[in-house]
Amino acid sequence: MRVVFDLPQDENGWPPAASERMWAVPVAPGRVMLDNIPFFVRGVALGDVVRIETDDEGVVRAAEAVEFSGNCTIRVVPFTREPAGRQAVLDAFASWGVEGEGAEQFGLVALNVPPTADLAAVRRLLVQGEADGLWDYEEGCVTDAWRALDPA
């Protein structure tokens, strides 16, 4: 099933959509587990359980996250916009147990960082890649363990 998340836009019009549809698996009445990595939604990650509501038109909408998976969502924008740039990001993080997906239209990669990954190594790689001018990144959804890391 697909669940719609409404997306507030910032003063620059980002994200470039009013909503994002995510795949989800029903786990209980009125609750689904997210089954893909969010490209734009903040505050949720792959595997999180979300309470849903169906609107008057039959559209299933996310209401709130009710159970967190422990996964982190990190979005990376490589400065090389070709597909090779997105693939290089995926390859750089694969050895740390991090999976992701590229969005060609927006030139970004959404990464899922599981709690079993070496969070410190992943964070260091993100910071180093940004310092080296390879990419910019943002934290879409992070855990307390991630926040406790020294960013350097």
Side-chain angles (χ1 to χ4, degrees):
M1 84 181 317
R2 303 274 287 212
V3 176
V4 175
F5 286 79
D6 293 320
L7 301 173
Q9 292 183 316
D10 67 17
E11 63 278 356
N12 298 317
W14 189 261
S19 64
E20 179 175 358
R21 293 183 187 276
M22 293 186 60
W23 290 105
V25 177
V27 294
R31 288 179 169 30
V32 297
M33 182 176 63
L34 300 179
D35 199 29
N36 68 279
I37 306 166
F39 281 107
F40 302 113
V41 178
R42 295 182 157 280
V44 296
L46 173 70
D48 289 356
V49 175
V50 176
R51 186 173 61 79
I52 56 172
E53 299 172 346
T54 303
D55 69 17
D56 294 339
E57 297 173 4
V59 176
V60 178
R61 297 190 174 278
E64 65 180 327
V66 294
E67 185 180 322
F68 295 97
S69 61
N71 292 324
C72 295
T73 301
I74 307 294
R75 289 181 273 274
V76 178
V77 179
F79 293 139
T80 301
R81 298 283 290 190
E82 295 82 34
R86 290 185 300 283
Q87 188 60 51
V89 171
L90 294 168
D91 293 346
F93 290 93
S95 65
W96 303 112
V98 174
E99 296 179 328
E101 184 178 351
E104 181 179 351
Q105 179 181 2
F106 304 109
L108 65 85
V109 176
L111 298 175
N112 180 65
V113 183
T116 55
D118 183 339
L119 299 182
V122 172
R123 180 88 176 254
R124 282 192 303 272
L125 183 55
L126 283 166
V127 170
Q128 188 62 52
E130 185 176 58
D132 291 346
L134 299 175
W135 56 61
D136 199 0
Y137 74 94
E138 75 168 7
E139 300 169 341
C141 180
V142 295
T143 61
D144 290 339
W146 179 273
R147 283 195 264 316
L149 296 171
D150 179 3

